[in-house]
Amino acid sequence: MSEFVTENRIWDSAETMPHDELRALQLERLTQTLARVAEVPFYKEAFAKAKVGPDNIKTLDDLRRLPFTTKADLRDHYPLGFLAVGRDRVARFHGSSGTTGKPTFVAYTKEDLSTWADLCARFLVSGGLRPEHTVHIAFGYGLFTGGFGLHYGVERVGAAVVPASAGNTQRQIMLLKDLAADVLVCTPSYALTIAEAVGAMGIDPKELSLKFAHFGAEPWTEDMRAQIEADMGLLAFNNYGLSEVIGPGVSGECAARNGMHIQEDHFIVECVDPETLEPVQPGNQGELVFTSLTKQAMPIIRYRTRDIAQLDPAPCPCGRTGIRMNRVVGRTDDMLIIRGVNVFPSQIEEALLRVEGTAPHYLIEIGRPGTLDEVKVHVEVRSKDLSDKMSHMQALRDRIGQEIHSITGIHADVHLVEPQTLERFVGKAKRVLDHRTET
Ligand code: DLL
């Protein structure tokens, strides 16, 4: 049993609902959701093709008879083919930035926005937020769900918001200092950038008032958490979500910090083998699939997230009954196949953070100069560990190479680079340069 790192407060009694009640509520809400999507052309067609309909769904297990929804389906129905309400009921749009140009849009009714604020309030409170706190939000405000999602969650709790948005790191630090925020909200990679800039400006992190942080929107590792906590002198909590499902607020860590509780009264989660699409046994990694249960404007049925994680049904000492998901190790579309071996960038990060003397700033470069894949990992060395001695640098390089090999099974060509030479990120980090996909 993990010890609590902060007081175990619960925002909404629904979070501790007994399992049988929770399942009954899920079925009731699933039935309502299916009725809501019945007139959405995509679902009408997909259900007809699969020869199932809302009438066939009598138990939660029957959900598996329904077809999956994918990002490609959303793209094929761009911009608003999944809208289940009239435009007059839409209160806000968000979107996820498409790597291929057009974003996919998501819509919210007024009720959806209120539900969303509550879902964010739940994980913020479980991670230490109190009404008397001030929260500095360094997520982008815009189509991205991070800024506005967390903003209204903080307001729902009754705390004060500094809507700093992303970018201009020195100004962020001035705001953190002068407005004495207690809580930092951003991506873990941006937290690293801020931590580094705090050091470079000669500020002792203790001069800031930060106590907690809520990080999400990208994969990160336990070692990265330890490093940010040590650098910034705060407690960091993980939260997860995706715009197609609602945005942040799908799941978040409690005071035990041993997995993120999925808000199962609002979402049904499945964990499937991404190849066979069959459910994996509890405790095994698979792709997470979500069905929304309360969304009005754009309900989503069996959405394949491409996120690889593992579900933990064990009871949690905090009393929340929502099943826990562990850290997302990566996305199926970020998974690198190197000489036939599957590698997630987060595994390389884990290897780097195990080696003293490297900074958690890295770039993975993959090419195929001949017939075989070759991997270069560029890693920044911390200034204090830079050495003129070739033997010292060679030893560091070897240790990193060994750690990468022991975690991933691949041999990487490690390039040590000077401090501050790799790109810094204000939003989601981009750590991979795959020349094999260039035409
Ligand atoms: O990133 C929503 C969000 C905002 C979550 C702020 C948490 C905090 P999208 O831009 O649609 O939405 O990207 C969703 O980001 O499928 C995961 O691959 C990844 N992701 C989100 N949270 C985590 C996390 C937001 N805690 C995609 N750990 C998801 C790992 C995460 N990956």
Side-chain angles (χ1 to χ4, degrees):
M1 182 172 115
S2 308
E3 267 177 46
F4 294 142
V5 290
T6 184
E7 196 187 348
N8 178 34
R9 284 210 202 172
I10 288 172
W11 173 253
D12 184 338
S13 59
E15 294 172 73
T16 57
M17 194 182 286
H19 275 115
D20 47 350
E21 269 177 50
L22 184 57
R23 298 295 164 239
L25 181 66
Q26 283 186 322
L27 183 59
E28 184 190 321
R29 289 181 165 177
L30 176 63
T31 310
Q32 291 163 357
T33 297
L34 292 175
R36 242 179 263 136
V37 301
E39 290 311 312
V40 175
F42 167 78
Y43 287 114
K44 222 173 163 175
E45 237 173 74
F47 291 175
K49 214 164 139 201
K51 296 196 174 48
V52 288
D55 293 345
N56 305 108
I57 310 302
K58 306 269 185 242
T59 68
L60 287 175
D61 286 340
D62 290 336
L63 177 68
R64 284 183 53 200
R65 300 173 62 183
L66 296 174
F68 291 100
T69 308
T70 64
K71 182 89 169 179
D73 295 326
L74 294 176
R75 286 218 186 93
D76 290 347
H77 294 79
Y78 180 88
L80 293 171
F82 274 71
L83 201 59
V85 295
R87 281 294 289 259
D88 55 333
R89 286 192 56 203
V90 175
R92 200 188 308 156
F93 292 105
H94 279 284
S96 64
S97 53
T99 38
T100 48
K102 284 185 177 170
T104 36
F105 294 121
V106 288
Y108 303 76
T109 63
K110 222 173 148 194
E111 299 94 299
D112 290 335
L113 291 176
S114 179
T115 306
W116 190 21
D118 258 320
L119 294 176
C120 289
R122 288 183 185 182
F123 77 73
L124 286 163
V125 165
S126 69
L129 186 63
R130 308 282 169 261
E132 61 272 23
H133 285 157
T134 296
V135 184
H136 179 104
I137 299 184
F139 271 137
Y141 278 65
L143 281 181
F144 176 54
T145 51
F148 283 102
L150 268 296
H151 181 103
Y152 287 103
V154 172
E155 286 197 351
R156 181 61 57 91
V157 176
V161 186
V162 181
S165 200
N168 196 343
T169 308
Q170 305 220 331
R171 186 167 158 272
Q172 302 265 359
I173 294 167
M174 178 195 79
L175 293 173
L176 282 168
K177 210 163 153 242
D178 296 350
L179 295 173
D182 309 273
V183 183
L184 174 64
V185 166
C186 58
T187 57
S189 53
Y190 194 41
L192 275 179
T193 307
I194 295 177
E196 189 176 53
V198 166
M201 287 162 79
I203 297 172
D204 180 345
K206 287 194 207 91
E207 287 177 51
L208 307 180
S209 314
L210 290 173
K211 299 178 186 71
F212 305 112
H214 287 274
F215 299 140
E218 64 182 2
W220 53 312
T221 56
E222 218 34 64
D223 294 312
M224 171 93 93
R225 162 145 61 195
Q227 167 128 18
I228 301 171
E229 289 187 338
D231 287 354
M232 301 279 279
L234 47 73
L235 273 176
F237 291 82
N238 194 6
N239 71 88
Y240 165 89
L242 58 164
S243 36
E244 295 83 355
V245 175
I246 201 158
V250 174
S251 69
E253 281 182 328
C254 65
R257 298 202 303 178
N258 187 17
M260 295 179 277
H261 286 282
I262 294 172
Q263 315 237 35
E264 284 195 279
D265 51 335
H266 292 268
F267 311 102
I268 296 180
V269 65
E270 299 169 78
C271 187
V272 303
D273 181 316
E275 300 288 325
T276 64
L277 300 179
E278 290 300 316
V280 301
Q281 293 302 313
N284 288 336
Q285 280 185 357
E287 177 179 347
L288 299 182
V289 172
F290 287 99
T291 298
S292 71
L293 294 175
T294 49
K295 279 211 308 179
Q296 313 272 324
M298 214 178 257
I300 194 112
I301 309 292
R302 303 196 80 200
Y303 185 67
R304 289 189 57 185
T305 61
R306 299 184 282 192
D307 290 326
I308 300 293
Q310 142 192 344
L311 296 177
D312 178 4
C316 181
C318 76
R320 286 178 184 78
T321 45
I323 194 166
R324 280 172 290 171
M325 56 184 271
N326 71 352
R327 286 180 177 283
V328 172
V329 292
R331 297 172 55 80
T332 49
D333 42 0
D334 285 346
M335 189 180 74
L336 306 166
I337 304 180
I338 297 165
R339 299 192 186 189
V341 179
N342 297 347
V343 178
F344 284 111
S346 63
Q347 292 177 293
I348 301 214
E349 179 177 306
E350 196 185 328
L352 298 179
L353 283 156
R354 281 190 192 173
V355 181
E356 192 57 31
T358 61
H361 301 288
Y362 62 97
L363 177 72
I364 306 165
E365 204 179 356
I366 308 155
R368 193 180 288 147
T371 50
L372 291 175
D373 301 327
E374 288 187 4
V375 184
K376 251 189 223 167
V377 180
H378 303 266
V379 191
E380 275 186 20
V381 183
R382 287 192 210 140
S383 347
K384 65 179 172 49
D385 295 293
L386 263 185
S387 162
D388 292 340
K389 273 207 194 129
M390 282 286 282
S391 59
H392 184 95
M393 291 289 103
Q394 184 61 45
L396 187 58
R397 211 162 31 221
D398 290 348
R399 267 211 316 282
I400 296 173
Q402 280 155 13
E403 284 293 348
I404 293 177
H405 183 254
S406 88
I407 291 180
T408 65
I410 60 162
H411 290 282
D413 179 11
V414 177
H415 276 230
L416 299 179
V417 300
E418 304 234 336
Q420 296 291 336
T421 46
L422 295 177
E423 191 183 345
R424 297 294 186 263
F425 304 97
V426 297
K428 300 184 191 232
K430 288 189 197 69
R431 310 247 192 228
V432 178
L433 209 58
D434 195 342
H435 301 297
R436 298 172 304 178
T437 53
E438 292 164 2
T439 45

